[in-house]
Amino acid sequence: MPDNNQFSPVSLETMNCFKKHAPEIIEKTVQISMKRKEEVIQHGNQAQKLLILGMQFTTKMLESALITGEISLLEDELKWAKDRLPHDDVTMKHVLVRLKIYRTQIMKTLPEECAIEIVPFIDWMIEWQETHLKEELNE
């Protein structure tokens, strides 16, 4: 995994673009995630609301990391998710799948010049999640 010093804050234009399109990216990510019934059934009729809240939280944390270049903010979020979400029957694999869907929606929704600044942050999150999921499986 890259160390924290390899990330620079994104441009103001990219930040504004991401903020403008974030609701659409969240909506599409949730729509796709809701089709994965095996990952949301445990939430019952609250599933869509919980996914929206989770993606909004992820987006806010990502915005903070994009502005500052501080990957540690994302690492803290992922550590929290690893400890907390299993209590809600959300597995680390569910989180990984949602991050990948989120990444795809960022690539599809944002202009390329914006997406290429943001994707390294998401890729870092995905790689972190994959690494910790492998460690979890080997325990």
Side-chain angles (χ1 to χ4, degrees), residues 29-46:
T29 300
V30 169
Q31 285 174 357
I32 293 166
S33 297
M34 287 296 295
K35 293 178 184 174
R36 302 178 62 81
K37 297 296 182 195
E38 71 281 1
E39 294 181 14
V40 296
I41 197 161
Q42 72 275 18
H43 300 305
N45 61 2
Q46 294 292 312

Side-chain angles (χ1 to χ4, degrees), residues 4-28:
N4 295 353
N5 296 330
Q6 292 182 334
F7 290 86
S8 297
V10 300
S11 68
L12 181 58
E13 295 81 15
T14 292
M15 195 68 236
N16 289 337
C17 180
F18 182 63
K19 284 183 174 187
K20 176 182 175 187
H21 293 284
E24 179 184 355
I25 293 166
I26 292 168
E27 181 182 336
K28 288 179 180 179

Side-chain angles (χ1 to χ4, degrees), residues 39-81:
E39 294 181 14
V40 296
I41 197 161
Q42 72 275 18
H43 300 305
N45 61 2
Q46 294 292 312
Q48 186 168 353
K49 178 182 176 183
L50 292 172
L51 286 175
I52 290 169
L53 289 171
M55 293 312 305
Q56 287 173 336
F57 180 74
T58 297
T59 299
K60 289 298 180 193
M61 294 305 294
L62 179 58
E63 286 176 1
S64 295
L66 293 172
I67 290 169
T68 63
E70 288 291 329
I71 290 298
S72 62
L73 297 170
L74 300 176
E75 185 171 25
D76 289 346
E77 176 192 356
L78 292 169
K79 286 178 180 177
W80 174 88

